[in-house]
Amino acid sequence: MWFVRFITSSIGKKWIMAVSGLLLLFFLFGHIAGIATLYLGRTALQSYAEQLHSHMFFLNIFRIGLLLLCIIHFSTGLFLFYQNRKTRPIPYRISVRVATQAAGAIPVASGWASLPFAARTMPYTGIVILTFIIIHIFGFSIGPQDIPVAKTVVTLLGNPVYGLLYIFSFTVLAIHMHHGIWSLLQTLGLSHPRYTLFVTRMTTIAPVFFLIVAGGIPLLLICGVEF
Ligand code: HEM
């Protein structure tokens, strides 16, 4: 069947990574937009959380979808990583210089081209993000149910150890996002020179925006700001 042939091909797997990555990006920005209500005060975040929990049926369907997306994105990424290592155990040769330069690669005088840091570390930053999500879900979704969500957020992220762990994870996520957005836009067909400026801007603006809005929460809480 053409569909099975497509998803088992290399280009099919790149599409799976691109589409699942894009959907996860939508979730992330939606989630951060909700959480950012904390900047308006603790009661704003609490009423947002209560609104969300008043639609438990849809929330649970959404959670299942999110879990499936994470599994698909992570397992396909892992598969591509091992496949690439098997077929290309040594770094890129200069013959792919043009392609790698387009990805922001740094050509090396010896005739080898090294991929940028964000591209080279995608599998490792992915593992850090997965670990963060597990810790995060245990802290919040499966966390104490009798305490208001806003209080849990303020207490946990105001703890310097927890707060710094969050800031570290967000930085890693921003690095992952930087290359991920570039890669998904290429896969989805925005590789025309006309879009180069847009693609380059998006790969920087989106991660920096996320880092400021999301990272600002633990940072301000650690600094003792009251919400
Ligand atoms: C300062 C930043 C963040 C805060 C304060 C925060 C807070 C929360 C809270 C309160 C919940 C539980 C929602 C509920 O009770 O239903 C939650 C769930 C979740 N968060 Fe975050 N979050 C943050 C950043 C992130 C990031 C960066 C990711 C992804 C990498 C993420 C992924 C998730 C996931 C997957 C869930 C489970 C979905 C659910 O239970 O509905 N969060 N978060």
Side-chain angles (χ1 to χ4, degrees), residues 103 116 118-119 122 172-183 199-200 202-204 207:
M122 285 306 267
V172 172
L173 180 51
I175 294 170
H176 192 86
M177 219 190 277
H178 173 65
H179 180 72
I181 293 175
W182 181 87
S183 187
V199 170
T200 314
M202 282 315 289
T203 61
T204 307

Side-chain angles (χ1 to χ4, degrees), residues 40-90:
L40 303 173
R42 202 186 281 212
T43 42
L45 175 61
Q46 188 54 36
S47 64
Y48 160 73
E50 279 165 16
Q51 279 278 331
L52 206 66
H53 287 176
S54 66
H55 304 97
M56 217 50 202
F57 175 71
F58 294 107
L59 185 62
N60 284 335
I61 291 182
F62 175 78
R63 282 171 168 166
I64 294 169
L66 194 61
L67 179 69
L68 285 176
L69 264 183
C70 286
I71 293 172
I72 290 170
H73 191 78
F74 187 75
S75 53
T76 312
L78 213 61
F79 183 84
L80 280 171
F81 171 66
Y82 281 113
Q83 203 177 35
N84 284 348
R85 259 173 60 135
K86 238 182 15 203
T87 52
R88 197 191 306 114
I90 47 170

Side-chain angles (χ1 to χ4, degrees), residues 27-28 31-32 35 53 59 63 66 132-133 136-137 140-141 149 153 157 170 173 210 214 217-218:
F27 158 75
L28 186 64
H31 185 50
I32 295 305
I35 295 303
H53 287 176
L59 185 62
R63 282 171 168 166
L66 194 61
F132 161 76
I133 293 175
H136 181 57
I137 289 179
F140 290 114
S141 296
V149 173
V153 171
L157 301 197
F170 292 169
L173 180 51
F210 158 76
I217 295 174

